Amino acid sequence: HKLFAMLMASPESHALRHAFFAERAASRVVDMPADTPTRRIARVGVIGAGTMGGGISMAFLNAGLPVVLVEAKQDALDRGVATIRKNYDNSAQKGRLRPEQVEQRMALLQPTLDFARLADCDLVIEAVFESMEVKREVFQQLGAIARPGAILASNTSTLDLDALAACTGRAQDVVGLHFFSPAHVMRLLEVVRGKATANDVLATVMQLAKTIGKVAVVSGVCDGFIGNRMLEHYGRMATFLVEEGASPQQVDRALEAWGMAMGPFRMGDLAGNDIGWAIRKRRSVEKPNVPYSRLADRLCEQGRFGQKTGKGWYRYAAGNRTALPDPEVDALIADYRREIGVTPRTIDDAEIVDRCIDALVNEGARLLAEGIAQRASDIDMVYLAGYGFPAWRGGPMRYADEVGLFMVARRMRQFAAQPGGDAAFWQPAPLLAELAAQGKTFNVG
C-alpha cells in the first residue's frame, strides 16, 4: 500500500495522468456545438506518393478505407506503391499482419496518374512538395474537379492554410491535416482550422482521426502551427549551444538522457537538414528579426543533408542508421567559431536541457495567448504524440508547471542576460510572466 501511495504521489504518475486526460480534452473543440453533424467519408484521395503521401495512404488503408493515390509521373507512382507494399510485407514477416490482410489493404489502394479520378472522393489530402506555388496549383485544380461537399485538406507543415483555401473557391471545405512522419506510425495529427473552415468539416476530421487511430489536436493558422512553431526555437537554441562550445553529440546526449526520444541533431539528420534550410531561407525574408546561427546553413552548403546523403551532423555507414561522430563536422564548427570570433566555453548538460526545453515553453506561452492552441494540455499532447517528448514528464507546459513558472521565468531572464544571448526571445512571454507572478500554472487543475 505504501509503495502504491508513494508512486501515485510521484511527479511521473501525475504527468502520466495529465497525458491521459489531455488526450481526451484534445478531441473537444472549444467553440463547436456538441451536436455538429459530420460528413460521410467513404473514399479518400491522396495526392503525392512520396514518403508522406504513402504513409497517409496506409493510415486510411489500415482502417479499411479505399484510397485513390494520384501522382504526376509513372515512376514516382510505382515507387510509392512498391514502398507501401514493402512496409506491409515487413509487418507480415514480423507477424503483425496476416498475408490475407496485406492483400485486403493493397486491394483498397487505387493508384493512378489521372487527377480526374479524385472527383468522387469525399476527402482529398494533398502531400505534394512544400512550396506555396505547387500547392496553390493543386488546390485550384481540386476546387474545379472535387465533388460538392468534399473536404479538401493540406498536409502542409508551415504554409498559410488560409491562402491555400482562397484558391479553391470553397474555403469552407478546406482544412489542414498535418501528419507526422512516418504517417502510418506517428499518432499525432495537427488539424489546422482555417478562418473559413466549416464546423461540420472540423467535426468530421476530428471523428475521422479516431477512426484511423490518431490523436487530433486543433491548431489555428500561423507559421509552423503548434509543433513546428515551437520546435523552431528549440532547434535555434541547440545550434547556438554548439556555436558557443557544446558539440552536437553533447547536446543530443543531454536531451536524450533527460528523456527525449532523439536529440535535435540526430533528428535533423533523420528528417533531412535541407528541409530546415528551405524554411530558414523563407523566414529570413519574412522574419528578419529572428536571429539564427549560420552553422546549420554551412552544413547544408556542403550537401550534408543527413541520413539520405550519408552525412549530416553525423556520418552514416551505408545501410546503417547509427549516428557516428565526424571529424569533418568538428572542423567545420571550429572554423565557424573562429570566423565569428567565438571562444568556445564549457557548457553543462543542465544548461543545454533548460535552454532547449524552456524555448519550447516560452513559445508555447505565446501561441496559447494568441489562441493558436485551445489549451495548454493540447500543446503537451502535440509534443507527447508527435515529437518524442517523454510521457513521464507530461509535455513541455506540464513540465514547466512542475518546475514552477516563477523558476522558469527566472531562468529565462538569466539566459536573456548572457553575453550574446537572444535577449528579445528570452523575455518571458506575457502570459508566462503573468502566471508566474500570480503563482499559477498553464494547465488548470
Side-chain angles (χ1 to χ4, degrees), residues 161-171 174:
L161 186 81
D162 292 330
L164 289 173
C167 310
T168 60
R170 37 168 129 173
V174 178

Side-chain angles (χ1 to χ4, degrees), residues 152-268:
L152 311 180
S154 173
N155 179 50
T156 180
S157 53
T158 51
L159 299 175
D160 181 351
L161 186 81
D162 292 330
L164 289 173
C167 310
T168 60
R170 37 168 129 173
Q172 73 281 359
D173 294 331
V174 178
V175 67
L177 291 180
H178 179 213
F179 287 81
F180 287 71
S181 198
H184 55 295
V185 178
M186 296 297 276
R187 290 178 68 223
L188 179 64
L189 177 61
E190 265 184 327
V191 174
V192 186
R193 184 185 197 176
K195 60 175 189 281
T197 304
N199 269 351
D200 65 338
V201 168
L202 193 60
T204 304
V205 295
M206 294 303 280
Q207 187 184 36
L208 189 63
K210 287 196 173 118
T211 308
I212 60 171
K214 302 292 180 205
V215 176
V217 177
V218 177
S219 169
V221 174
C222 67
D223 191 349
F225 312 127
I226 296 172
N228 285 341
R229 173 169 155 182
M230 288 165 63
L231 194 73
E232 174 188 9
H233 298 288
Y234 173 84
R236 278 195 323 125
M237 294 311 143
T239 321
F240 281 135
L241 285 157
V242 171
E243 192 176 283
E244 291 164 35
S247 67
Q249 296 90 296
Q250 187 199 353
V251 173
D252 282 353
R253 266 200 314 268
L255 284 156
E256 286 164 14
W258 185 81
M260 295 299 285
M262 198 182 254
F265 295 106
R266 280 179 57 210
M267 188 69 220

Side-chain angles (χ1 to χ4, degrees), residues 319-341:
N320 193 331
R321 288 177 177 272
T322 311
L324 306 167
D326 191 340
E328 283 180 23
V329 175
D330 300 339
L332 181 115
I333 293 167
D335 287 347
Y336 181 73
R337 285 175 186 152
R338 270 195 298 276
E339 185 188 317
I340 61 170

Side-chain angles (χ1 to χ4, degrees), residues 38-203:
T38 56
R39 301 184 186 183
R40 184 168 167 267
I41 306 293
R43 181 184 303 277
V44 178
V46 176
I47 306 170
T51 311
M52 255 353 253
I56 292 169
S57 300
M58 287 177 72
F60 288 101
L61 297 171
N62 293 349
L65 281 160
V67 173
V68 177
L69 180 62
V70 180
E71 208 12 293
K73 297 194 179 73
Q74 188 66 50
D75 58 340
L77 187 63
D78 294 344
R79 242 193 339 267
V81 173
T83 304
I84 294 174
R85 160 73 71 179
K86 193 176 82 193
N87 285 335
Y88 280 142
D89 286 342
N90 287 346
S91 295
Q93 276 162 7
K94 290 176 186 157
R96 292 190 193 133
L97 286 178
R98 295 191 307 280
E100 61 269 26
Q101 287 176 301
V102 173
E103 295 316 319
Q104 278 163 355
R105 289 174 194 192
M106 289 306 294
L108 289 170
L109 182 66
Q110 301 161 26
T112 179
L113 298 175
D114 181 8
F115 206 85
R117 291 275 302 279
L118 296 168
D120 60 348
C121 291
D122 306 302
L123 163 70
V124 182
I125 306 168
E126 66 74 19
V128 299
F129 185 69
E130 186 72 351
S131 128
M132 203 62 182
E133 289 66 43
V134 179
K135 290 193 189 286
R136 253 206 190 103
E137 196 177 316
V138 166
F139 273 98
Q140 275 164 346
Q141 285 179 283
L142 276 179
I145 71 149
R147 69 166 188 75
I151 297 175
L152 311 180
S154 173
N155 179 50
T156 180
S157 53
T158 51
L159 299 175
D160 181 351
L161 186 81
D162 292 330
L164 289 173
C167 310
T168 60
R170 37 168 129 173
Q172 73 281 359
D173 294 331
V174 178
V175 67
L177 291 180
H178 179 213
F179 287 81
F180 287 71
S181 198
H184 55 295
V185 178
M186 296 297 276
R187 290 178 68 223
L188 179 64
L189 177 61
E190 265 184 327
V191 174
V192 186
R193 184 185 197 176
K195 60 175 189 281
T197 304
N199 269 351
D200 65 338
V201 168
L202 193 60

Side-chain angles (χ1 to χ4, degrees), residues 341-356:
V342 163
T343 307
R345 64 183 174 93
T346 305
I347 297 177
D348 63 14
D349 288 2
E351 182 182 341
I352 291 174
V353 169
D354 284 351
R355 261 172 73 184
C356 291

